[in-house]
Amino acid sequence: MIMAGKIAHWIFITLLILIGLLLTLGGGFLVYLGGSFYYLIAGVATIATAVLVIKRSPHAPKLFGIIIALTLLWGIWESDWRFLSLLPRIAAWMGVGLWFLTPWYRGTLIKRYEEKIPATRNWILAPTAASIVALFVFASLGYTQHSTGTDRKIATKEESSDWRSYGNTPGGTRFAQLTDINTETVSGLKEAWRYRTGVEEDFKSTPLNVNGMLYICAALNVVIAIDDTTGKEVWRYEPGLTPPAAHQYAKTCRGVGYHEAAAGYSGQCAKRIITATVNASMIALDALTGEVCNDFGNDGVVDLRRGLGQHEVGDYYKTSPPLVAGDNLIVGGLVNDTQKLGLPSGVVRAFNALTGDFVWAWDIGRPGNNSEPPEGETYTKGTPNVWSIMSYDPELDLVYLPTGNAAPDYYGGARRKFDDEWSSAVVAIDGKTGEPRWKYQTVHHDIWDYDVPAQPVLVDVVKDGKNVPSVAVPTKMGDIFLLDRRTGKPVHETPEKPAPQNPEEGEYVAATQPRSSLPNFHPYRHEKDMWGLTPIDQMVCRIEYHTMRYEGMYTPPTVPTGITNTGTMLYPGNFGGFNWGSVSVDADNGLLVAAPMMLAHRLILVTPEQVADAGPEAALLLGRSHPAVHLDPDGPRPKMGEPDPNDPFDHRKIKYYGLPMPFMSRLGTQIPCFEPPWSRIAVMDLNTNELLWSRPVGDMSSSGPFNIRSGLPFDVGTAIRAGTLTTRGGLTFISSTMDSKIRAYDLRTGEEKWKAELPGNGQSTPMSYRSQKDGKQYLIVTVPDPTWRYPRDPDTGEYLDSQDVRDGRGGYVIAYTLDNGK
């Protein structure tokens, strides 16, 4: 027992010395960089404590107690009264300090000091108790709440009980005009049924509801119709596609379109489902039977590669549903995010929904020419694309397009004038002709991959007593631009503000950038916002914060030059802010529900010469930095020398390649380098430009340090993969947090009213409808199969066991309804 105590004693001394040395050396470097003195002081004090322990002095716990006390005061000052900010600052010190309360420590003291043991213990107990009290106080502080917002006293008569478009309406409101499930009854929600798709891997589909069926789209455009009351499969269409590229987005189908012919139509498929596929085609199916509509295009298929010229299959495909605008089907295309020039065109096209015939094209390189290119020619290569979901106003006959940026993402020196003019914008085009009516650019000369990723959402607001038909445009920057959808002019003040300057040689940046005056969830990040599991990784993250260039949003990307210049901090990162999940609205009252992510990236620029010197390894690294492959690691090394002035796509015009990486702890803890929350859900009143409430969304029960499930209920705000559903019942739902839960919040107060466990992390937006068969309101959520990969024969692709795949495998469609039958 005595020997064990001695071993523990020296282990403790060694631990103190290691902690002290790391904090002293790292803290000294942090001070050199202009950062906090705390870590240097704490490191020196820890080493001094170790020396006192070696000397068996009773002053050791006194000094360590002072470290705890000063850390508590410093932590309270830096944490802005946030529990999860204070906890990691103080918890590790409290844990180490417990040693001084053990009999093993008491046994190491010189006997003449034994009578001082109770007093010395108080030096640890007092600051530890104070820290616990502070943590309890901080934990009791809730989310932000301001007011309940506008209430227009809209009548509760249902205008629509189904869900015919991806966002319910062509304007993408994600608003269900149903009231059975409301703030008083939602606690009675029970699972009614669940269906398994039998399709492995990616499942991001939000179903449509019409004709008594739910229409879903699984990976690789497998389209399935199921009964909306029982969950039984009605029909299935399997096109037999193969992924055009290796990454998971090349299998994605986010939804389908629905078109219903006018009365008197005598052709095939009066009601049809249209899917735009990952092999760049459109397929029309009979909505009632699932049979291919042979009178559409070429035997039911329209080839979307027509007019694009030669390109790699993985450079162009579709993941978003076609927009149904009257009798037109409007499609953009996902152009691969790469480091190349001369990629396929970002052209937007319209086709007749009944025949599949070409109607018009919007090609920014051919202004005024809305026709197909002549034989042997192509649409303008390399233009900004529209990969996300579009919206439509049938009264104005305007289509609202969220545009991306021209490749490459992080270097704009090789872009053409018209590329910059139309990139990272919302563009309103005429639904009949494809001619642009207006545009509003959310980022000037985008070199941060801040393309507009979300469906523009149409909503009416009241300003100065007048109704204003508006469109809300969520962006990766976390800004939401509210525009008059007739003219594109901002509804609320949207000033141009000075932006950071001095980019790398060969690049240029805009002098100003537009900033919305609506509530934004991405404040300037300071050193004190850096976070970590222990003081050591907190310090490492602070050091990296100071070694990266960061002057707020729109800091130009940087080439690293050494240990004091390691690149640029990109905040928000290129995942957002907002992404393809967009936002929902209470269309009755002009309230908007936002669920932005709040994550950052490290961003570095590398030159073609550096890539050439590093060879395939560098190309592979560039490829792994983004879901799309940037460079072929086995391909030719970049050409050196001066570019050809007559070749707009000469690769030598690219002076830098961008390499973004999540800003996570370097110590392998798998947690972000700055404090939570990492996402929020919030409601704002668009009429008054007022934030009603805001709170973190998603807990760490399914996650934790080192990717270990912690089981802790702390609301850290997890990553979010999709959007929200809002209902006339005064609720908003979200099911795509990375903690395998669906939640319902009171729209007016932010109170969590209900939640349920899901079989995996959702990746889609929930939806709701009333069944015409039993009169019940249903809530639907889709969830990918968390196991995803199954054993297959490498030659045939067949499953290696004989279990019925459709019964027991694949993604989930889960229906909830009230257990009282209403």
Side-chain angles (χ1 to χ4, degrees), residues 254-269:
R254 294 193 174 94
V256 295
Y258 175 76
H259 180 267
E260 194 166 308
Y265 175 73
S266 58
Q268 281 187 318
C269 308

Side-chain angles (χ1 to χ4, degrees), residues 64 226 503 804:
F64 202 83
I226 58 179
D804 187 346

Side-chain angles (χ1 to χ4, degrees), residues 343-416:
L343 289 162
S345 176
V347 61
V348 174
R349 289 168 285 181
F351 298 87
N352 183 274
L354 296 174
T355 65
D357 292 340
F358 172 85
V359 178
W360 54 255
W362 179 60
D363 178 4
I364 67 173
R366 302 186 306 150
N369 186 347
N370 302 111
S371 65
E372 291 185 289
E375 190 70 29
E377 298 183 18
T378 68
Y379 294 110
T380 309
K381 291 186 176 182
T383 53
N385 64 89
V386 178
W387 61 266
S388 192
I389 299 103
M390 298 171 275
S391 298
Y392 178 60
D393 184 333
E395 293 184 7
L396 298 174
D397 195 24
L398 288 181
V399 178
Y400 301 91
L401 313 177
T403 69
N405 51 26
D409 287 328
Y410 304 105
Y411 176 69
R415 293 179 190 158
R416 299 158 296 191

Side-chain angles (χ1 to χ4, degrees), residues 586-602:
D586 172 354
D588 293 339
N589 296 298
L591 307 181
L592 182 144
V593 183
M597 290 189 291
M598 304 167 69
L599 297 171
H601 277 75
R602 302 176 179 96

Side-chain angles (χ1 to χ4, degrees), residues 457-792:
V457 175
L458 309 191
V459 57
D460 290 352
V461 302
V462 175
K463 186 181 181 188
D464 299 329
K466 296 181 180 179
N467 185 72
V468 183
S470 303
V471 54
V473 185
T475 68
K476 287 184 178 180
M477 302 85 72
D479 272 331
I480 300 172
F481 294 90
L482 187 68
L483 310 172
D484 185 321
R485 64 177 181 263
R486 299 166 296 187
T487 64
K489 296 185 180 301
V491 175
H492 298 296
E493 182 181 6
T494 305
E496 290 277 339
K497 294 188 176 181
Q501 298 296 297
N502 302 316
E504 296 290 352
E505 182 182 357
E507 184 59 274
Y508 65 95
V509 292
T512 63
Q513 294 286 356
R515 296 304 305 269
S516 173
S517 61
L518 291 176
N520 184 287
F521 307 96
H522 297 83
Y524 187 96
R525 287 293 185 178
H526 299 273
E527 181 199 322
K528 69 185 182 72
D529 299 323
M530 300 303 107
W531 202 69
L533 186 63
T534 68
I536 294 171
D537 54 338
Q538 294 163 28
M539 176 188 67
V540 171
C541 288
R542 287 176 181 243
I543 289 172
E544 188 162 12
Y545 170 84
H546 280 287
T547 63
M548 291 189 292
R549 183 179 177 186
Y550 178 65
E551 301 164 29
M553 201 179 297
Y554 308 118
T555 301
T558 305
V559 176
T561 59
I563 61 172
T564 60
N565 177 12
T566 59
T568 295
M569 189 172 93
L570 181 65
Y571 180 75
N574 63 10
F575 293 153
F578 298 97
N579 212 292
W580 57 269
S582 195
V583 297
S584 63
V585 293
D586 172 354
D588 293 339
N589 296 298
L591 307 181
L592 182 144
V593 183
M597 290 189 291
M598 304 167 69
L599 297 171
H601 277 75
R602 302 176 179 96
L603 175 60
I604 67 171
L605 296 181
V606 294
T607 66
E609 291 79 10
Q610 289 173 314
V611 174
D613 290 342
E617 293 79 8
L620 186 60
L621 182 61
L622 283 167
R624 286 175 176 168
S625 71
H626 195 278
V629 177
H630 288 244
L631 294 172
D632 181 1
D634 300 316
R637 291 149 70 103
K639 296 185 293 183
M640 299 294 108
E642 293 297 320
D644 182 352
N646 298 317
D647 182 359
F649 307 125
D650 188 329
H651 203 65
R652 289 171 292 186
K653 291 186 174 181
I654 299 178
K655 295 194 173 186
Y656 307 102
Y657 301 125
L659 177 57
M661 297 168 284
F663 188 21
M664 308 286 280
S665 171
R666 293 284 195 183
L667 301 186
T669 57
Q670 298 299 309
I671 57 177
C673 244
F674 56 89
E675 64 188 22
W678 300 306
S679 69
R680 303 191 76 91
I681 185 169
V683 171
M684 62 185 72
D685 190 328
L686 297 177
N687 308 282
T688 61
N689 199 10
E690 179 185 20
L691 179 67
L692 305 188
W693 56 264
S694 173
R695 62 182 295 166
V697 57
D699 61 46
M700 60 185 300
S701 58
S702 299
S703 59
F706 307 104
N707 285 333
I708 298 172
R709 292 174 62 97
S710 68
L712 297 174
F714 299 144
D715 286 331
V716 294
T718 68
I720 295 172
R721 300 303 301 270
T724 57
L725 157 71
T726 298
T727 75
R728 187 169 278 169
L731 295 168
T732 189
F733 294 86
I734 187 166
S735 61
S736 60
T737 51
M738 296 295 100
D739 61 356
S740 302
K741 294 181 178 70
I742 179 172
R743 292 176 171 86
Y745 295 98
D746 188 308
L747 181 67
R748 296 288 179 170
T749 69
E751 178 187 358
E752 184 182 283
K753 304 294 288 187
W754 172 81
K755 68 180 175 182
E757 295 284 341
L758 298 175
N761 293 325
Q763 296 187 22
S764 63
T765 302
M767 52 85 71
S768 186
Y769 60 91
R770 183 183 303 284
S771 168
Q772 300 304 307
K773 300 168 187 172
D774 64 11
K776 295 181 181 180
Q777 180 184 351
Y778 286 87
L779 170 70
I780 301 293
V781 61
T782 64
V783 182
D785 188 331
T787 61
W788 267 23
R789 302 289 194 268
Y790 309 117
R792 287 174 176 261

